[in-house]
């Protein structure tokens, strides 16, 4: 894994609408929930690529994920079976985060930095304590 500035892309092999939708859903959900790495749409800009594969079986769908750092070895993250792509994706994104977030500092967006400055909290952890009243 790259030591810092990890950029993660989600790709789905296929050209169908559901393939593109699954890649975009994974990218948007991961970006909204993860504050340690950057999510990018273009795999060429990523230094970590998560390959998603899905298969419909009756009334359920199975989604599998494999994570590969640029120039590194691919690592299977397993698969999940659920009633929808969305439901199967959620636990896989948690597994992706557990791998790519290791040793990565939390990123703080501009609005949060402004709130920190307003409260006089120079550090994110201190802001959390201030906002909780600790």
């Amino acid at each position: 894994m790259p030591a810092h500035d990890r950029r993660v892309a989600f790709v789905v092999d296929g050209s169908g609408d559901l393939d593109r939708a699954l890649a975009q859903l994974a990218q948007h959900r991961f970006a909204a929930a993860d504050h340690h790495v950057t999510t990018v749409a273009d795999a060429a800009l990523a230094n970590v690529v998560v390959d998603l594969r899905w298969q419909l079986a009756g009334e359920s769908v199975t989604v599998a994920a494999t994570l590969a750092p640029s120039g590194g070895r691919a690592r299977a993250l397993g698969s999940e079976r659920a009633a929808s792509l969305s439901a199967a994706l959620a636990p896989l994104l948690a597994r992706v985060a557990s791998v790519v977030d290791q040793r990565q500092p939390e990123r703080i967006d501009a609005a949060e930095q402004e709130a920190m400055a307003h409260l006089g909290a120079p550090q994110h952890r201190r802001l959390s304590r201030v906002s909780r009243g600790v």
Side-chain angles (χ1 to χ4, degrees):
M1 293 294 268
H4 55 81
D5 296 328
R6 293 181 185 157
R7 295 176 309 282
V8 180
F10 293 88
V11 298
V12 179
D13 190 26
S15 59
D17 290 339
L18 280 177
D19 299 317
R20 286 188 297 274
L22 178 57
Q24 290 174 351
L25 179 63
Q27 174 191 341
H28 290 289
R29 282 203 179 160
F30 194 78
D34 192 89
H35 302 286
H36 296 273
V37 299
T38 302
T39 307
V40 296
D42 185 354
L45 300 175
N47 54 20
V48 178
V49 174
V50 179
D51 178 43
L52 299 171
R53 295 168 312 287
W54 66 278
Q55 181 177 11
L56 188 60
E59 295 293 316
S60 65
V61 64
T62 300
V63 178
T66 303
L67 183 143
S70 296
R73 235 169 141 171
R75 174 181 175 178
L77 297 179
S79 62
E80 291 291 330
R81 186 176 183 164
S84 68
L85 284 171
S86 178
L89 185 61
L92 290 173
L93 293 180
R95 287 185 211 150
V96 170
S98 72
V99 174
V100 300
D101 286 355
Q102 292 177 2
R103 297 181 308 276
Q104 298 300 291
E106 187 165 6
R107 292 179 295 118
I108 302 170
D109 65 24
E112 199 169 9
Q113 286 178 347
E114 185 178 321
M116 288 168 50
H118 178 73
L119 292 172
Q123 298 174 352
H124 182 262
R125 288 183 187 193
R126 190 165 165 211
L127 173 64
S128 297
R129 288 193 303 266
V130 170
S131 63
R132 287 192 319 258
V134 175

